[in-house]
Amino acid sequence: MNIRQEILKTIETRPLADVKKFRKVSSYFGDNTFSVPTMKKHISKKTFDAFMAWMEEGRQITLAQANEIAEAMKTWAVDRGATYYTHWFQPMTGMTAEKHDSFISFAGIGRVIETFSGSKLIKGEPDASSFPSGGIRTTFEARGYTAWDPTSPAFIIESKLGKTLCIPTIFVSYHGYALDKKLPHLRSIEALSKSAVAFLKLFGNKNVKKVFSTCGPEQEYFLIDKNFYRMRQDLLLTGRTLVGASSPKDQQMEDQYFGSIKERVVNYMYEVGEEAYKLGIPLMTRHNEVAPHQYEFAPIFEESNLAADHNQLLMEIMKKVALRHDMVCLLHEKPFAGINGSGKHLNWSMSDDKCNNLLNPGKTPEDNLQFLAVLVAVLRAVNQYGDLLRASVASAGNEHRLGANEAPPAIISVFLGEQLTAILDTIEKGKKTKISREDIMNLGVARLPVVNKDMTDRNRTSPFAFTGNKFEFRAVGSSQNISTAITVINTIVADSLDDIRQKIEEAKTSKDFNTAVLLVLADVIRQTRKIRFEGNNYSEEWKKEAAKRGLPNEPSTSEALKALVKEEHIKLFEKYKVFSREELKARYKIWLEMYIKLLEIEAMTLSEMVNASIVPNAFDYQGLLAQNLQQIVNLKNSAGLKLLDESLEDQKVHLSEVTEMIFYVRKNTRAMMQFLEETRDLEEDEKARRYFVDLKPIMEHIRKHADLLEGVISDEHWDLPKYREMLFVK
Ligand code: ADP
Ligand code: MG
């Protein structure tokens, strides 16, 4: 038995985790968070009121008040067993980062007490000089600061032997440039709020003070046994399999999607749920996905900044809890070739401070007119800035998924459904005369809410689909921080709300309001026609049709990222104070660098796997074949063994084939290493381009021959866990 087969045996005997005592979720939801109600219990009314005024109207609190909150937060955390605190932030490289400090300070010789001050709560200075800044921070002024984000509650992370108080923060350079993903996200919410409040005012909603984006990200993932993971350098170092022959059965029967969830996996889901609920993450749905051993968690939607924090936390919980069940949670967008990858459908909408969803069709003609105007503003945003949306989801991992057979292509289009399409068509055709309340009713608009919910056609192939009362952006990758996509959506929608509001204001000087609105909308509907597509986005015809319409289809990450630094986009982000020019350039640079580094790691890993595992395995098997053949020929000659000429020929052919596969794998691997050497000193733009155009095909080529070898080499000689094992042994 080889090592792979030994592992298979251990998995079969894995005991299931014991069932703990069940608790009602409502009895412990948010227990590990210093939420607003918890804070209220621990601080004076005056300070609490000041805190709420800060949240709602942006009036800063005093240092004394911050001190009081810090003291309360510390007491709460220490009472629960926390010994350390950390400023928790989201650097541009996508993970979350922490630097832990103890609460202790000296209180006399050899004696310590737990302390925590307002200034430490508000501002931290992590030794974070090694986080990439894209040139924003030169090394001689390497300081970066974290600053408390009071809109997201502090929380306690538990590990077996201790607890840490985590304070959500932004991360900025000495000169105030955003070095993270949270600050631009917060800025984009402000920009959206301003534009949306002005927009609503025009429609007669004068009392709205604030509008914010709401999000519910649907998180897909794979689980595999921990031992398989450890045996695969590629999964360990890159999160995806670089070689691996397809399993004869994978997702053809869709029996995973419709089947019941296996007990080991359900146990895992229970525990993820419990950990999430303690942190106030409102997990709602859990189910199997299409590919074998693929699953999904979806929360109830929240204000987008909170949703983003919660999604980052959830991903960490998912990974941590998987290990407790002797499994590994794979968040990569394409861990296995040939079957579905994982995305993170981002459900997005806007809400006013009275919790009215701006994308909810209303009950009166006036409400519906406003709803249609908001909807058309989103259309304009996607039409005008599709390339920015594409850039917001550009990554090496997602590059494997977009445009593969299970995910929307890199072409950004919008799906609205039959009913809305009909309504927009009617508006587009326009009416010459004055438009009355009845006319709006006659558009069918007033009846929208009744039919809307259950009539919404589920076009699962559209990258940007209207699903009843929200849009669903389906191009986000499973491992990505949703903040970047939200930041872009918020900004481009803010811009479109402003644009449409200004046009209506102009038009209404000569027409009545309803007529003015419908005339402006008709214009925008006409101009954005090309972005709307109701058919199958996965089809070849759509690719052709999209090209005809002039829609960009950018499969390459590095090319897609260029949209971030297009002059008109820099101007847009500067106008809305979401990103400065420097901040955009830094992001472009960092994300390009990440792409390059990831591909280099993949190439080096593949080379090692070929040289240290696949080829030696193949040599063993080749030796076996050669020996066998030799013995048969010997027997034929010495003992007159009777053989069909053809059967001897067949064995020779097999040996030649194996030898040829070994040759190609080795030859292409050498070519790959030589390619890396040759391109080493290229400028980053050019290097990334060459990696996409040349390196990836070489890697695919190596894989093709390695996978052929896997198909013929005896099971006994193959060390790498196979697809069928990783995906079906549960
Ligand atoms: P689906 O049919 O796409 O699964 P669901 O109703 O289950 O639709 O919702 C999917 C996700 O969308 C959930 O996370 C849900 O909370 C979220 N969602 C629902 N309404 C909104 C909204 N107004 N804004 C943002 N997300 C929303
Ligand atoms: Mg969905």
Side-chain angles (χ1 to χ4, degrees):
M1 221 173 2
N2 71 3
I3 182 159
R4 185 182 115 257
Q5 291 168 320
E6 301 237 359
I7 279 177
L8 261 173
K9 256 184 65 189
T10 64
I11 292 165
E12 278 158 22
T13 56
R14 281 231 198 282
L16 289 175
D18 286 340
V19 177
K20 283 187 231 154
K21 225 174 67 205
F22 291 109
R23 290 191 291 164
K24 239 164 95 176
V25 174
S26 55
S27 71
Y28 67 93
F29 186 82
D31 261 6
N32 282 353
T33 62
F34 193 65
S35 60
V36 171
T38 306
M39 183 189 294
K40 191 173 183 183
K41 273 188 250 157
H42 285 79
I43 58 178
S44 67
K45 182 169 183 315
K46 215 167 146 215
T47 301
F48 181 75
D49 290 344
F51 178 81
M52 291 315 284
W54 184 22
M55 292 305 94
E56 275 151 23
E57 293 143 47
R59 267 187 279 137
Q60 285 277 336
I61 54 169
T62 65
L63 186 60
Q65 288 163 336
N67 277 331
E68 190 185 334
I69 296 173
E71 181 60 27
M73 199 188 279
K74 179 211 75 187
T75 308
W76 170 82
V78 170
D79 282 351
R80 275 158 194 272
T83 46
Y84 285 81
Y85 71 91
T86 178
H87 278 195
W88 183 81
F89 60 102
Q90 300 168 29
M92 290 185 277
T93 40
M95 309 144 294
T96 49
E98 314 164 354
K99 176 206 172 198
H100 295 196
D101 283 303
S102 172
F103 284 118
I104 57 165
S105 59
F106 276 120
I109 298 166
R111 223 166 51 78
V112 295
I113 52 165
E114 280 86 7
T115 62
F116 189 48
S117 66
S119 58
K120 279 184 177 160
L121 166 65
I122 288 175
K123 186 168 156 189
E125 191 180 344
D127 178 20
S129 51
S130 49
F131 284 104
S133 71
I136 277 176
R137 226 178 28 189
T138 41
T139 18
F140 63 86
E141 47 139 74
R143 278 197 279 188
Y145 295 104
T146 50
W148 180 31
D149 167 18
T151 60
S152 181
F155 54 90
I156 291 174
I157 288 287
E158 298 170 313
S159 63
K160 229 176 185 156
L161 296 179
K163 298 181 184 181
T164 306
L165 170 68
C166 298
I167 299 154
T169 58
I170 56 164
F171 183 35
V172 290
S173 78
Y174 183 69
H175 294 292
Y177 289 120
L179 295 172
D180 69 346
K181 295 191 171 163
K182 187 190 259 285
L183 180 54
H185 182 165
L186 290 171
R187 291 173 181 159
S188 77
I189 297 171
E190 276 201 36
L192 180 71
S193 185
K194 238 193 206 156
S195 304
V197 167
F199 193 87
L200 294 181
K201 210 166 258 165
L202 181 67
F203 280 82
N205 285 312
K206 303 233 156 42
N207 296 328
V208 174
K209 286 207 192 87
K210 206 161 84 175
V211 169
F212 52 90
S213 39
T214 52
C215 282
E218 302 169 43
Q219 179 71 52
E220 294 181 339
Y221 61 101
F222 280 87
L223 291 172
I224 62 165
D225 193 274
K226 189 162 72 179
N227 277 351
F228 288 143
Y229 178 82
R230 287 182 178 158
M231 285 290 293
R232 303 250 349 181
Q233 299 93 309
D234 46 8
L235 284 178
L236 197 71
L237 298 184
T238 73
R240 73 180 186 103
T241 53
L242 301 170
V243 292
S246 310
S247 163
K249 178 186 178 211
D250 45 51
Q251 62 188 42
Q252 305 97 319
M253 316 287 285
E254 299 203 343
D255 42 358
Q256 155 85 359
Y257 194 64
F258 296 110
S260 59
I261 307 175
K262 292 278 175 302
E263 190 170 1
R264 189 175 175 199
V265 175
V266 177
N267 283 349
Y268 164 77
M269 290 175 167
Y270 271 120
E271 199 169 341
V272 169
E274 191 173 301
E275 294 290 328
Y277 294 146
K278 279 196 264 180
L279 290 171
I281 303 172
L283 277 195
M284 184 68 179
T285 319
R286 54 179 204 202
H287 61 78
N288 288 344
E289 264 303 324
V290 175
H293 236 336
Q294 189 189 26
Y295 310 92
E296 180 184 299
F297 279 119
I300 299 175
F301 72 94
E302 299 175 280
E303 184 275 320
S304 67
N305 176 45
L306 202 55
D309 281 3
H310 281 167
N311 183 249
Q312 290 297 115
L313 267 175
L314 176 66
M315 289 195 285
E316 284 174 19
I317 292 171
M318 287 165 67
K319 286 201 246 178
K320 189 166 83 179
V321 172
L323 291 172
R324 294 187 198 151
H325 293 256
D326 290 317
M327 295 190 286
V328 173
C329 171
L330 302 175
L331 291 171
H332 193 282
E333 283 75 12
K334 195 80 175 177
F336 302 99
I339 57 171
N340 281 9
S342 300
K344 183 146 49 191
H345 294 177
L346 183 67
N347 294 274
W348 175 95
S349 188
M350 293 172 274
S351 168
D352 69 18
D353 44 10
K354 309 273 177 324
C355 290
N356 296 309
N357 178 353
L358 304 196
L359 283 169
N360 215 356
K363 290 194 171 56
T364 65
E366 287 78 8
D367 283 351
N368 273 325
L369 197 60
Q370 179 191 301
F371 156 74
L372 283 172
V374 173
L375 185 88
V376 170
V378 178
L379 280 184
R380 180 197 172 271
V382 180
N383 182 60
Q384 190 114 342
Y385 301 110
D387 53 347
L388 268 182
L389 282 171
R390 169 66 186 94
S392 76
V393 297
S395 76
N398 216 16
E399 195 174 83
H400 291 279
R401 176 180 159 264
L402 292 179
N405 57 354
E406 78 286 5
I411 310 164
I412 304 285
S413 67
V414 179
F415 169 87
L416 290 181
E418 227 172 279
Q419 190 131 34
L420 277 175
T421 302
I423 291 166
L424 294 203
D425 286 348
T426 314
I427 298 176
E428 186 184 336
K429 278 185 209 119
K431 302 220 169 182
K432 289 194 187 64
T433 51
K434 237 178 81 166
I435 287 169
S436 65
R437 265 179 75 101
E438 282 64 42
D439 288 328
I440 299 170
M441 296 288 277
N442 289 341
L443 284 170
V445 183
R447 285 186 292 279
L448 252 180
V450 192
V451 270
N452 183 293
K453 263 290 184 188
D454 24 23
M455 281 282 288
T456 316
D457 183 10
R458 291 274 160 198
N459 183 331
R460 300 258 171 219
T461 67
S462 174
F464 211 93
F466 185 71
T467 48
N469 56 4
K470 63 189 191 280
F471 277 95
E472 190 168 329
F473 185 31
R474 300 201 179 106
V476 184
S478 50
S479 72
Q480 292 181 315
N481 186 323
I482 56 174
S483 282
T484 308
I486 298 171
T487 304
V488 167
I489 298 174
N490 286 353
T491 311
I492 63 181
V493 170
D495 178 65
S496 291
L497 289 172
D498 283 349
D499 179 80
I500 291 180
R501 176 178 51 80
Q502 281 153 11
K503 285 185 179 135
I504 295 173
E505 273 164 358
E506 261 163 49
K508 90 181 159 87
T509 55
S510 56
K511 312 225 162 28
D512 75 278
F513 183 68
N514 289 347
T515 312
V517 172
L518 287 171
L519 276 176
V520 170
L521 294 190
D523 236 17
V524 182
I525 292 167
R526 204 168 302 123
Q527 285 156 14
T528 58
R529 207 160 232 297
K530 71 172 194 290
I531 204 78
R532 273 157 54 199
F533 182 63
E534 303 286 304
N536 180 4
N537 286 254
Y538 298 177
S539 69
E540 277 308 308
E541 296 87 78
W542 171 230
K543 276 190 206 149
K544 282 187 211 132
E545 165 70 16
K548 247 194 262 161
R549 294 187 190 183
L551 297 177
N553 177 8
E554 189 47 77
S556 139
T557 299
S558 62
E559 289 302 314
L561 283 174
K562 285 186 180 151
L564 292 177
V565 287
K566 241 165 86 177
E567 193 55 33
E568 56 179 292
H569 295 161
I570 294 178
K571 294 237 164 73
L572 167 82
F573 283 119
E574 285 195 327
K575 176 176 168 201
Y576 288 95
K577 299 193 169 57
V578 172
F579 287 118
S580 67
R581 179 178 297 270
E582 291 77 9
E583 287 170 338
L584 283 167
K585 291 206 160 148
R587 269 151 192 83
Y588 172 66
K589 194 167 174 336
I590 288 174
W591 294 339
L592 197 65
E593 265 172 26
M594 271 175 64
Y595 179 79
I596 291 171
K597 284 183 189 158
L598 280 170
L599 257 72
E600 282 168 359
I601 293 171
E602 287 189 352
M604 306 290 280
T605 305
L606 180 59
S607 165
E608 196 216 304
M609 290 174 84
V610 166
N611 291 322
S613 172
I614 294 170
V615 167
N617 284 175
F619 280 160
D620 282 351
Y621 181 61
Q622 184 193 36
L624 198 73
L625 289 180
Q627 236 174 37
N628 219 22
L629 191 60
Q630 180 74 63
Q631 279 166 7
I632 291 173
V633 171
N634 284 352
L635 283 174
K636 183 179 174 222
N637 294 340
S638 62
L641 175 71
K642 279 218 171 91
L643 277 180
L644 276 179
D645 281 353
E646 241 180 305
S647 74
L648 192 62
E649 208 42 46
D650 176 57
Q651 297 217 9
K652 285 200 236 165
V653 168
H654 185 40
L655 177 55
S656 308
E657 278 169 355
V658 169
T659 308
E660 197 178 302
M661 290 173 202
I662 297 174
F663 169 68
Y664 280 118
V665 169
R666 286 179 42 79
K667 185 178 147 192
N668 288 321
T669 306
R670 273 196 305 275
M672 176 175 76
M673 297 315 281
Q674 201 181 336
F675 175 86
L676 287 181
E677 191 54 38
E678 280 165 17
T679 50
R680 204 180 54 190
D681 297 327
L682 289 180
E683 290 284 324
E684 272 167 355
D685 284 26
E686 178 59 8
K687 196 187 259 188
R689 193 188 69 79
R690 291 289 306 278
Y691 280 10
F692 181 76
V693 175
D694 296 319
L695 177 61
K696 288 184 80 171
I698 307 180
M699 290 177 66
E700 276 314 301
H701 221 65
I702 296 171
R703 173 181 196 136
K704 192 179 114 192
H705 292 284
D707 292 355
L708 285 173
L709 276 170
E710 185 184 328
V712 293
I713 289 182
S714 96
D715 232 14
E716 179 75 30
H717 288 91
W718 193 260
D719 286 331
L720 291 170
K722 299 187 167 190
Y723 268 32
R724 63 174 151 82
E725 294 158 351
M726 290 186 282
L727 294 171
F728 285 97
V729 180
K730 295 176 189 172

